[in-house]
Amino acid sequence: MKKLIIPLIIFLMLVSGCSHATEIEGKKDARGTKKLHIVTTFYPMYYFAKKVAGNLADVDLLIPNGVEPHDWEPTAKDMAIIQDSDVFIYNSRYFETWTEKVLNSIDRSNLKIVEASKGIELIDGISEEGENHKENTASKDPHVWLSPVLASQEVDNITKALEQKDPKNKEQYEKNAAVFKSQLADLDRLYKKTINEAKKKEFVTQHAAFGYLAKQYGITQIPIAGLSPDVEPSLSKLTELTELMKKKNIKVIYFEGLVSSKVAQTLANEIGAKTEVLNPLEGLTKEDQKKGLDYIGVMKKNLDALKLSLY
């Protein structure tokens, strides 16, 4: 992570924060009461918060859709937006690695901070060399939102925080959350049924983002690279994967829409396989947005894509 120049940032926060606070203060609901202002880091957090909050809050997305979030860092303006909000929601310190430093640099006295993955047992990360099933004690895999079951736990954490910050609307938050968790339960059942009927149990990805989904449904992710999507594997690792895929007759390699598919395409060309998108939902692509897709829609598309490997 690039070094944050804290004194300058704090100065700029004071300037930009004042104007932002004035803007937020004017946002009220139909009854004339001030709405909660919620700031979320990236798309799944934004989507989950919107589902729980409904029309009771204004929810902002900090990392724009279409931007790869692993290497994104907040500007002074972003930090001011966080400070001036009522609730700040992020997934995990292992994903938004800048959060601790930022939160220690701002006034948090009126800010409810939500680490949505809190209480979820995180699995060890895949090494950046792409070595499968090796522990990396320096990091944990943060991609819990890709399991509908764990996503539901994140929704619980978000709901609890909103109820604490805005207790008068507790009942409505609980109703909204219940409706959304019912949709997640339907998604879970669809994944279970589809994968239980599959003949194969392995799939190859360019980015090791699908460990929780694989664990949830009893399938195996074979990643080309580790948790960072832009890290390229060594030549020896590519050779090893080529031999493995030939042996297992794997014909599909998955890549994601926000980063280059070069590595996946190189390996696919080597063994005569094809490439397909498996979306880690770290941000909606322009194509997703044009199609009106949301978290549920993309997760269903992912399941259809997985069927190409598992059936």
Side-chain angles (χ1 to χ4, degrees), residues 204 222 235-250 253 267 270-271:
V204 175
I222 302 174
L235 181 59
S236 61
K237 184 61 188 176
L238 282 174
T239 301
E240 178 188 331
L241 281 168
T242 300
E243 293 173 356
L244 177 66
M245 293 181 67
K246 285 179 178 177
K247 181 179 179 180
K248 293 181 175 290
N249 195 32
I250 293 173
I253 299 174
L267 189 56
E270 184 68 24
I271 64 171

Side-chain angles (χ1 to χ4, degrees), residues 141-303:
D141 184 347
H143 299 85
V144 293
W145 65 88
L146 289 167
S147 159
V149 174
L150 298 183
S152 187
Q153 291 184 43
E154 293 202 294
V155 169
D156 285 338
N157 286 335
I158 291 169
T159 304
K160 183 179 178 181
L162 298 192
E163 289 172 356
Q164 290 172 347
K165 191 68 177 178
D166 183 23
K168 69 181 181 298
N169 287 310
K170 178 179 179 180
E171 185 177 346
Q172 189 59 52
Y173 291 132
E174 288 179 350
K175 286 180 180 178
N176 293 346
V179 170
F180 181 43
K181 287 179 68 177
S182 174
Q183 295 173 353
L184 290 173
D186 289 342
L187 186 64
D188 172 49
R189 283 189 286 271
L190 179 61
Y191 264 81
K192 248 182 219 169
K193 181 178 186 299
T194 303
I195 293 175
N196 283 346
E197 294 173 357
K199 297 177 181 178
K200 300 177 182 178
K201 299 295 180 182
E202 296 171 315
F203 64 103
V204 175
T205 62
Q206 180 169 304
H207 172 201
F210 298 90
Y212 292 98
L213 185 144
K215 182 179 180 181
Q216 188 72 53
Y217 301 110
I219 53 180
T220 300
Q221 170 188 235
I222 302 174
I224 298 173
L227 294 175
S228 295
D230 55 353
V231 174
E232 295 190 9
S234 63
L235 181 59
S236 61
K237 184 61 188 176
L238 282 174
T239 301
E240 178 188 331
L241 281 168
T242 300
E243 293 173 356
L244 177 66
M245 293 181 67
K246 285 179 178 177
K247 181 179 179 180
K248 293 181 175 290
N249 195 32
I250 293 173
K251 296 297 184 183
V252 180
I253 299 174
Y254 298 101
F255 68 97
E256 61 184 82
L258 294 181
V259 296
S260 170
S261 63
K262 181 179 71 173
V263 175
Q265 193 62 59
T266 298
L267 189 56
N269 291 342
E270 184 68 24
I271 64 171
K274 64 179 180 178
T275 57
E276 293 287 342
V277 171
L278 197 62
N279 192 336
L281 273 160
E282 292 170 358
L284 291 181
T285 64
K286 289 181 180 179
E287 183 181 353
D288 293 335
Q289 293 175 67
K290 285 179 182 177
K291 292 179 179 178
L293 290 172
D294 59 10
Y295 173 90
I296 299 291
V298 172
M299 286 293 287
K300 288 180 178 179
K301 276 192 69 177
N302 280 348
L303 183 57

